[in-house]
Amino acid sequence: MTYFFGCSYLDLIGYVLLFPLAGTVINGFLGKKLSKSIVGIIGCTAIGLAFILSFFVFIDLLQLAPEHRVFEKDYFTWIGSGSLEAIAGLQADPLSVVMILMVSGVGFLIHVYSVGYMLDDDGFYRYFTYLNLFTFSMLLLVLANNFLLMFIGWEGVGLCSYLLIGYWFEKKSASSAGMKAFIVNRVGDFGFILAIMLIFVTFNTIDFTEVFHAAPEHLQMGGFIATMITLLLFVGAIGKSAQIPLYTWLPDAMEGPTPVSALIHAATMVTAGVYMVVRCNVLYTLAPFSLTVVAVIGGVTALFAATIGLAQNDIKRVLAYSTVSQIGFMFLACGIGAYITGIFHLLTHSFFKALLFLGAGSVIHGLGGEQDMRKMGGLKKYMPTTYKTFLIGTLAIAGIPPFAGFFSKDEILLEAFSKGSILFWGLGAFAALLTAFYMFRLLFMTFCGKSNMSKHAEAHVHESPMIILIPLLVLAFLSIGGGFIGFPTASAINSFLAPVIGGGHHGTVDGGSLHHVSAGMMFSMMGISTGIAIAGIFIAYLMYIKNPDLPAKLVGKFKLIYTIIYNKYYVDEIYDATIVKPTVKSSFILWRIVDVRIIDGFVNAIARIVELKGEVLKLFQTGYVRNYALSILLGGVIIIVCSLILL
């Protein structure tokens, strides 16, 4: 174990949070007075230091025996009420360390990219303040050692997503998108907080280690309580990770700056739900019905979102729906018990999806803000570096070997097939075919073929500066080599995560090690997965390079189907008609009748009664002694008269 001034790096785990928090505070309070270069340096340095420390924490953890690779550090008790004790503490184990390396590493590259991309923005310091806070919240979420502290980080990323999606709040579409993300996530968060309450009632604790150790004794396999806890947790995951039916906020999140899209889609917010399900793998293993729900939602979402991606023309919106689809793959893996495989795909996805979003940002930057792929084409000769790196990301997400996405996506399909889940394999395979098609459709429409740019755009199009290209090059390298950490028969990530997921301090489950799969089946499925990806690419080549008139002909022939897909199955419109408008209308009615007339009317009536009594009493409070004497005299007379009458 390595030591820094007498402390192990594990003991310094809190500084992984402190660095981005310090960046938030400095830029938030002083950023307006500092130059943009200083603001950018502070913002990037904060995340860079968090990544360096995360790396040394990883090294320290490796030096421990696999069964002892869990480190907890308690700081103070921040809630103590009866039997409820919430300790502010952090937990470093293989799962959380993999996550903080990914969050801080990819986050650092996005911060560097942002320096060049947002340089001309007037709110530069505000942007980096939000970005640092976003990273801090995500790191808190994955390092927390109890459910309540995780929920604080969970809500933190929700708040920051609202701030960053609606960053250009002067635009109505941006402010509406931020509000939509915030509200939809609150629906999922309600399920999460109910799950935390039920966990406390069941286990009398919210600490991860205590809950997961006690779960096999307190919960019956397939029992009602285990099922309810896991389903409520999954409601939270659905909202945060944008799965059916709470996915609609994520495509609209494209209104934020492109680096924000990369951070939300690749390294932070949408991965939170997957992380939470994997963290709670012991609970989910005790709830087979919940696992089936997770797999069904994941598989259906993967295919559903892939079909929508076929017809979108906004470059960022295509990537948004690809994120929804890829997160679906991760949940599919978790639902069939392949938790490690789900994390493996989460990791590779962070590489190529960050690359694709930042590449799209480079294109938008070079075209002066244009996002419509129909107004692009032929960009590879103007932006060769962006094109080459974007091609690598596209090959990775399509699942072409040896790129990163091939290994993780193939392993998901292999897990589904080997466990007899032919339906889930079919959903995943078809979604993979569509993914390869629509991603190469994006590539061909943007970079290949004839130019569809306006004369003005073509005259000014340019390659991005090096500060934008360097993160692309690093992510391209990771998108090529990142998949080898999960190479079949020699999976480094499987052996590293096994103590947490495959029989370590949190229980014993099958994390998806593929030990039950023969080499013949493994390589056969690799061939099939590759064939599926190549088929999707070939169809895209035929339609957009070989015969570019074919898409228009197909649209004309299948206009109804195209219209439905192009309009995203009218889900937003259905939600608007059945939920949003009735809610707004009912709230208006409640305001006008219940609030204004009944509640306010009751309060105002009491006030008027008191006021009237005051006016009456005022008549007797004149300040003249003679009037008081007269009142006493009259009162006495009345008393005497009444006494005589009664007698």
Side-chain angles (χ1 to χ4, degrees):
M1 187 172 294
T2 53
Y3 290 88
F4 182 78
F5 288 104
C7 299
S8 72
Y9 287 105
L10 285 168
D11 289 317
L12 300 176
I13 187 68
Y15 285 88
V16 173
L17 298 176
L18 185 61
F19 289 137
L21 185 60
T24 301
V25 173
I26 295 171
N27 279 334
F29 286 97
L30 303 176
K32 201 170 184 178
K33 300 177 182 178
L34 302 174
S35 66
K36 288 184 176 181
S37 58
I38 298 297
V39 169
I41 290 172
I42 292 171
C44 294
T45 302
I47 308 304
L49 290 173
F51 172 71
I52 293 170
L53 182 55
S54 299
F55 178 76
F56 283 113
V57 168
F58 167 69
I59 297 299
D60 267 7
L61 210 63
L62 278 180
Q63 297 179 34
L64 301 175
E67 64 273 14
H68 298 301
R69 286 176 182 168
V70 56
F71 174 84
E72 292 195 51
K73 189 173 181 66
D74 296 335
Y75 294 94
F76 58 88
T77 301
W78 62 293
I79 296 179
S81 178
S83 59
L84 174 60
E85 186 179 47
I87 297 175
L90 304 179
Q91 177 174 293
D93 64 6
L95 179 58
S96 61
V97 168
V98 166
M99 292 297 297
I100 63 174
L101 280 170
M102 183 269 292
V103 172
S104 59
V106 176
F108 172 71
L109 294 172
I110 293 171
H111 276 70
V112 173
Y113 179 99
S114 296
V115 172
Y117 193 88
M118 300 295 292
L119 190 60
D120 297 328
D121 190 85
D122 294 334
F124 193 79
Y125 83 96
R126 179 167 59 90
Y127 172 83
F128 272 93
T129 300
Y130 296 163
L131 215 60
N132 275 184
L133 184 60
F134 200 177
T135 309
F136 162 80
S137 300
M138 187 65 191
L139 290 170
L140 176 64
L141 190 158
V142 299
L143 282 174
N145 68 349
N146 63 76
F147 283 100
L148 196 56
L149 194 59
M150 175 193 271
F151 187 75
I152 300 299
W154 191 274
E155 290 299 287
V157 296
L159 170 64
C160 292
S161 70
Y162 166 74
L163 296 173
L164 286 167
I165 294 170
Y167 176 76
W168 289 312
F169 56 86
E170 300 89 350
K171 292 170 57 183
K172 181 163 176 61
S173 58
S175 60
S176 298
M179 184 64 71
K180 184 177 182 179
F182 190 80
I183 293 173
V184 173
N185 271 273
R186 297 293 73 72
V187 176
D189 295 349
F190 182 66
F192 192 7
I193 197 67
L194 288 178
I196 296 174
M197 293 178 183
L198 188 54
I199 288 170
F200 176 72
V201 170
T202 305
F203 298 98
N204 204 36
T205 181
I206 54 174
D207 182 83
F208 287 151
T209 301
E210 294 178 8
V211 169
F212 299 149
H213 270 139
E217 298 177 4
H218 282 70
L219 299 178
Q220 183 182 357
M221 175 65 75
F224 177 76
I225 299 297
T227 302
M228 285 303 301
I229 288 174
T230 49
L231 286 178
L232 287 171
L233 286 173
F234 188 54
V235 170
I238 285 174
K240 199 66 71 185
S241 294
Q243 299 292 282
I244 292 174
L246 301 178
Y247 71 93
T248 55
W249 69 268
L250 192 60
D252 289 353
M254 299 302 98
E255 291 291 340
T258 300
V260 170
S261 302
L263 195 60
I264 290 176
H265 287 249
T268 55
M269 190 166 171
V270 296
T271 63
V274 180
Y275 166 79
M276 186 260 285
V277 170
V278 176
R279 172 60 73 191
C280 300
N281 64 82
V282 175
L283 301 178
Y284 277 93
T285 303
L286 295 169
F289 176 77
S290 298
L291 280 179
T292 302
V293 172
V294 172
V296 170
I297 294 293
V300 172
T301 302
L303 181 57
F304 178 79
T307 62
I308 297 177
L310 298 173
Q312 302 306 305
N313 296 312
D314 186 301
I315 188 171
K316 288 176 65 177
R317 196 165 288 272
V318 174
L319 294 176
Y321 280 105
S322 80
T323 297
V324 177
S325 181
Q326 296 303 307
I327 298 294
F329 273 99
M330 299 172 204
F331 279 118
L332 174 60
C334 294
I336 58 178
Y339 302 105
I340 295 177
T341 304
I343 291 296
F344 181 29
H345 194 56
L346 183 154
L347 193 60
T348 61
H349 176 263
S350 71
F351 301 150
F352 60 70
K353 184 52 59 71
L355 172 59
L356 289 168
F357 264 110
L358 297 186
S362 180
V363 170
I364 296 167
H365 183 271
L367 291 175
E370 182 59 66
Q371 295 183 197
D372 193 334
M373 298 185 299
R374 294 170 296 183
K375 299 178 182 179
M376 300 178 186
L379 283 178
K380 67 178 180 180
K381 68 178 179 180
Y382 299 102
M383 310 179 75
T385 304
T386 299
Y387 166 68
K388 291 172 184 175
T389 54
F390 201 95
L391 174 61
I392 291 171
T394 307
L395 288 167
I397 193 174
I400 297 295
F403 298 93
F406 163 75
F407 293 102
S408 55
K409 191 179 293 184
D410 171 73
E411 195 166 316
I412 294 173
L413 296 178
L414 179 57
E415 285 279 3
F417 187 84
S418 64
K419 294 182 178 181
S421 305
I422 303 302
L423 174 62
F424 294 140
W425 179 88
L427 286 171
F430 194 26
L433 174 70
L434 297 182
T435 300
F437 171 80
Y438 71 68
M439 285 305 304
F440 269 86
R441 169 182 178 266
L442 185 158
L443 183 80
F444 293 147
M445 289 181 68
T446 303
F447 293 99
C448 303
K450 67 175 184 176
S451 172
N452 294 310
M453 295 180 285
S454 65
K455 291 183 179 180
H456 176 78
E458 194 163 2
H460 292 85
V461 64
H462 59 276
E463 182 64 278
S464 298
M466 285 305 298
I467 196 167
I468 287 178
L469 295 179
I470 288 174
L472 295 182
L473 294 169
V474 176
L475 288 167
F477 173 77
L478 293 172
S479 298
I480 295 172
F484 288 96
I485 63 173
F487 193 82
T489 71
S491 177
I493 191 170
N494 188 80
S495 59
F496 184 63
L497 292 177
V500 181
I501 302 173
H505 64 284
H506 286 172
T508 302
V509 300
D510 179 11
S513 60
L514 293 174
H515 60 271
H516 52 286
V517 177
S518 66
M521 177 184 287
M522 186 179 297
F523 289 108
S524 295
M525 292 302 297
M526 280 184 169
I528 293 173
S529 296
T530 305
I532 290 171
I534 291 174
I537 296 170
F538 182 69
I539 295 171
Y541 171 78
L542 289 177
M543 292 180 63
Y544 292 93
I545 299 298
K546 189 73 172 176
N547 190 1
D549 296 328
L550 184 58
K553 293 178 181 178
L554 290 174
V555 168
K557 190 173 182 179
F558 302 99
K559 192 170 183 178
L560 178 61
I561 297 174
Y562 173 81
T563 302
I564 293 172
I565 296 175
Y566 178 77
N567 288 285
K568 301 154 301 215
Y569 298 97
Y570 297 98
V571 173
D572 281 290
E573 288 79 5
I574 293 170
Y575 283 178
D576 191 58
T578 59
I579 299 174
V580 178
K581 286 184 178 178
T583 301
V584 172
K585 189 174 182 179
S586 61
S587 63
F588 181 78
I589 293 171
L590 289 171
W591 168 63
R592 290 295 301 270
I593 296 177
V594 178
D595 192 17
V596 175
R597 295 187 180 181
I598 297 177
I599 298 176
D600 286 355
F602 179 73
V603 173
N604 293 334
I606 293 175
R608 282 195 291 271
I609 291 171
V610 172
E611 184 182 12
L612 182 62
K613 288 176 64 179
E615 291 292 331
V616 173
L617 291 173
K618 184 173 71 175
L619 298 175
F620 300 94
Q621 299 293 325
T622 62
Y624 295 107
V625 175
R626 62 179 179 272
N627 291 344
Y628 299 148
L630 180 61
S631 298
I632 294 171
L633 179 63
L634 290 174
V637 171
I638 291 171
I639 293 172
I640 294 171
V641 172
C642 290
S643 299
L644 293 173
I645 293 173
L646 292 173
L647 291 174

